[in-house]
Amino acid sequence: MREKIMRNFIAQQVIFLVITTLLFNVSCQDEKKDNKQDSQTEWQDKSPKEKWDYTGNYQVTLPCIDCKGIIVKLELKEDGSYRIIKNYNENDNTPGEIKTEIGQFRWSENDSLIILNNEEFSISDNVLSWKNPNIERIETDSTKTYTLRKL
C-alpha cells in the first residue's frame, strides 16, 4: 500500500514538472516573438542613414558612347567627405581619361538619399542606386538606375 502511494506521489510530481516546463517554454517563446517584432518595427522606422553602414568604396561600370566603358569609383568617408573617380576606358583612337572630384556629401531632408554635387543616390545594404548620372559621354537612358556595389 505504501509503495502504491509513493508511486502515485512520484507520478504526480513528474506530471507537475512536465506541465510547469511546458508552460514556461510557451511563455518564453511569446516574449521572444514580441521582442523580435518590436526590434523589426524599430529597424523599419529608421532612416537609411541609420540603418546602413554607408561609408566605404563603391564601384560601377557605366556605358560609354565612344569608349569601352566608364569605371566609376566612389569613396564615402565618415567625416562626410567623398572622392569620385571616373575612368573613361580607352578605345582604339583615344587613350583613357581619368577625372577626380572631391567634396562633401550631404543627406536629403529625410535622410533617405545621399547627395553629392546635386546627384542623388539611394542607399541599401552595400548598394548605392544612381538614377540619371550626369557624366559626359555616358549613353543616357532615363529609365535606368545604375548600381554601385560596395567593394
Side-chain angles (χ1 to χ4, degrees), residues 13-24:
Q13 293 300 316
V14 169
I15 292 171
F16 175 77
L17 284 173
V18 168
I19 291 172
T20 304
T21 303
L22 287 173
L23 290 173
F24 180 75

Side-chain angles (χ1 to χ4, degrees), residues 63 130-133 138-146:
W130 191 4
K131 185 122 172 110
N132 298 326
I138 187 174
E139 293 176 3
T140 56
D141 183 346
S142 63
T143 63
K144 274 194 166 181
T145 298
Y146 298 95

Side-chain angles (χ1 to χ4, degrees), residues 58-62 126-130 145-149:
Y58 297 82
Q59 182 173 320
V60 66
T61 301
L62 301 174
N126 297 322
V127 172
L128 292 176
S129 299
W130 191 4
T145 298
Y146 298 95
T147 302
L148 288 90
R149 301 224 176 260

